Amino acid sequence: MSIVPNILLPVGLAVVLLLCGITPARADEAAQAKSRLERLTEELGQAVGTLRKQLFERDNLRERLAEADRQVAQVNARLRQTQAEVNAVEQRLRELRTQQEAAQADIERRRHTLARSLALAARGGAGDRLKLLLKQQDPTVLARHLRYQRYLAQAQVTRLETLQAQLDRFAERELQIAADADTLAQRQQDLERQQQQLAARREERKALLARAEEQVNRGEQRVQALEKDRRELNALLRDIARRAAREREREQERQRARRDKTPADGAKLGPLVSAEPTPTLSGQRFSALRRRLPWPISGRLKANYGSSRASGRTRWDGVVIDAKPGASVRSIHAGKVVYADVLGGYGLLVIVDHGEGYMSLYGYNDAVLKRPGQRVRGGEVIATVGDRGDASGVYFEIRHRGKPVNPAAWCGS
């Protein structure tokens, strides 16, 4: 919640006027009330300044917490990626070991086969040589048979050497994969430590933010309490004014003139404006009606276009017209309603699009009588004035291509 109170009140002149013609007791009462109001105004200004600092610190902590959340998310993403890489390396290692086991089994089978072949060849070669000696068989056939057995044995040896070289390569790859796995494990540990540190920092910032939120709440409560005291003092001053007015024997016309010039909140009203339309041709474009458009309601201007707002930090983009609650608010020209809902400090707001980039805005209402999309005629009632206490009235803007323009340049006096 943002509280920007109207700190600067023109109470001095009001109290001086009240003191004229009242009893010493009431003059003293009014002076005491004025003094207390000045102290409250000063204290309220300090409270608002403190609250603004607290709001700034809170927003800063919110941003820092958001940054911590983003860092945690980044580390979590890197952890997930690293875990996926670890899983892939482990899968590669399992596949390599499966290949190693298959190659080792193949080597064992071939060694066994080669051993049997060599044993048979040895036994067969001795028998053939003995037969050659005893039976005098053809030595050419015997030699060819022995060469075949040697070729077969040599092929088995070559295959064994190839398998052994493959096993050696497997061993080298296993070492490399194991090294990659160690690197990934180290990276994973580093990321987990970083994750823990960031989580701790995030919790610390959350605690700081919670304390800042509590301070803001206390500051807002303090400002609200001071605002309440100030309203009560203003009510007291108004009551003193009413009692002094009853005691003063002045003419009724002067009293009525003073009430017309000085409203309850002490701020002088501006010139009177009228909702009576200037005769125009039917269907005329908005741009052709400069200074001939009616105002949305008749009354005196309470805030002028471009004047400073109560906070002193911003200026009015439109005007505020003094009006009684429940009075009719009329569209200044034909157009289409494009918005009819609550909008921040404008309260219930109606926006009418008049074409050519021109729009009119009507705020501070207590009821809207048109829906978005409906077309309205110039002078047609579109809303009723809201009850905002001393600040009752109509907020009115004209915008061209999104930029505010002075309504007095378009509406007749």
Side-chain angles (χ1 to χ4, degrees):
M1 179 178 62
S2 177
I3 300 176
V4 184
N6 181 12
I7 298 174
L8 300 178
L9 294 175
V11 297
L13 180 58
V15 172
V16 170
L17 293 174
L18 293 175
L19 292 177
C20 296
I22 62 177
T23 63
R26 287 187 180 160
D28 184 63
E29 182 183 6
Q32 290 178 357
K34 176 194 172 185
S35 176
R36 186 181 172 199
L37 182 59
E38 290 174 347
R39 290 195 302 272
L40 274 176
T41 300
E42 181 180 359
E43 189 175 354
L44 181 58
Q46 294 174 353
V48 170
T50 301
L51 179 58
R52 285 171 178 163
K53 292 180 181 178
Q54 292 170 344
L55 288 170
F56 176 78
E57 292 174 359
R58 182 197 64 182
D59 294 342
N60 186 38
L61 283 171
R62 283 180 176 175
E63 180 58 32
R64 290 167 61 188
L65 180 59
E67 179 61 27
D69 289 339
R70 287 191 287 269
Q71 292 176 352
V72 168
Q74 291 173 359
V75 170
N76 289 339
R78 290 166 59 189
L79 265 175
R80 286 193 294 271
Q81 181 181 357
T82 302
Q83 185 60 52
E85 293 177 3
V86 168
N87 294 338
V89 168
E90 291 177 349
Q91 179 63 27
R92 287 166 51 199
L93 194 57
R94 286 193 295 271
E95 293 173 355
L96 180 63
R97 286 172 178 168
T98 300
Q99 294 174 3
Q100 282 180 313
E101 291 172 358
Q104 189 65 46
D106 193 10
I107 287 175
E108 292 301 324
R109 287 195 301 271
R110 290 185 179 277
R111 282 178 177 171
H112 183 67
T113 301
L114 180 59
R116 287 172 49 193
S117 297
L118 291 175
L120 290 174
R123 288 196 299 272
D128 289 340
R129 286 192 295 271
L130 183 59
K131 289 178 182 179
L132 177 63
L133 293 174
L134 296 177
K135 299 181 178 182
Q136 297 183 353
Q137 290 183 354
D138 186 357
T140 303
V141 175
L142 181 59
R144 188 166 55 251
H145 181 66
L146 291 175
R147 282 197 302 274
Y148 172 75
Q149 288 185 339
R150 283 197 301 272
Y151 291 153
L152 183 61
Q154 184 62 39
Q156 292 287 350
V157 170
T158 302
R159 178 59 180 166
L160 283 172
E161 291 174 349
T162 301
L163 288 172
Q164 186 61 50
Q166 186 178 7
L167 278 177
D168 293 340
R169 289 193 299 273
F170 283 165
E172 292 176 359
R173 286 178 59 192
E174 183 176 12
L175 290 175
Q176 182 61 46
I177 293 174
D180 293 343
D182 291 341
T183 301
L184 288 173
Q186 183 62 44
R187 187 198 305 173
Q188 191 173 22
Q189 291 177 1
D190 293 341
L191 288 172
E192 288 173 351
R193 282 195 298 271
Q194 188 175 355
Q195 184 186 44
Q196 293 173 358
Q197 293 171 356
L198 287 173
R201 191 184 310 166
R202 182 173 176 272
E203 291 301 319
E204 178 183 353
R205 290 179 179 177
K206 284 178 65 177
L208 290 173
L209 179 58
R211 287 197 291 272
E213 293 281 5
E214 185 178 354
Q215 290 177 351
V216 167
N217 290 335
R218 286 199 299 267
E220 289 177 343
Q221 292 171 3
R222 175 63 175 162
V223 169
Q224 289 173 351
L226 291 172
E227 279 279 12
K228 181 176 179 293
D229 291 344
R230 193 180 63 170
R231 286 194 299 270
E232 292 175 353
L233 277 176
N234 280 326
L236 175 60
L237 286 171
R238 287 193 296 269
D239 183 60
I240 293 173
R242 285 191 294 269
R243 285 182 288 167
R246 285 194 299 267
E247 293 175 1
R248 291 191 299 268
E249 297 179 353
R250 297 183 179 179
E251 298 177 356
Q252 189 65 29
E253 184 61 31
R254 187 176 178 182
Q255 290 285 345
R256 187 179 302 108
R258 177 175 296 175
R259 284 196 298 273
D260 289 341
K261 291 181 180 179
T262 307
D265 59 2
K268 289 188 177 180
L269 295 178
L272 182 68
V273 296
S274 174
E276 291 298 326
T278 302
T280 58
L281 295 177
S282 177
Q284 277 190 295
R285 296 183 302 168
F286 191 97
S287 59
L289 298 175
R290 183 179 290 271
R291 296 193 181 278
R292 289 193 291 161
L293 291 167
W295 293 86
I297 196 167
S298 297
R300 293 190 179 275
L301 295 182
K302 300 175 67 175
N304 292 315
Y305 173 81
S307 62
S308 296
R309 288 177 176 260
S311 64
R313 297 183 302 172
T314 58
R315 296 183 178 275
W316 289 100
D317 290 333
V319 299
V320 179
I321 306 172
D322 186 37
K324 293 182 179 180
S328 296
V329 180
R330 302 174 183 274
S331 176
I332 63 171
H333 190 62
K336 183 172 71 173
V337 176
V338 294
Y339 187 87
D341 203 347
V342 176
L343 183 64
Y346 297 100
L348 276 172
L349 177 69
V350 179
I351 301 177
V352 179
D353 185 355
H354 304 291
E356 302 180 274
Y358 290 96
M359 292 186 179
S360 56
L361 292 74
Y362 312 80
Y364 298 176
N365 303 298
D366 69 347
V368 293
L369 308 180
K370 299 297 178 180
R371 299 187 306 274
Q374 285 188 297
R375 299 203 65 84
V376 295
R377 301 182 305 276
E380 186 173 353
V381 178
I382 58 176
T384 58
V385 179
D387 185 358
R388 301 169 68 89
D390 291 339
S392 293
V394 175
Y395 178 74
F396 175 57
E397 267 191 44
I398 296 178
R399 293 198 173 220
H400 183 229
R401 303 191 189 283
K403 295 182 179 180
V405 297
N406 190 349
W410 290 89
C411 299
S413 59

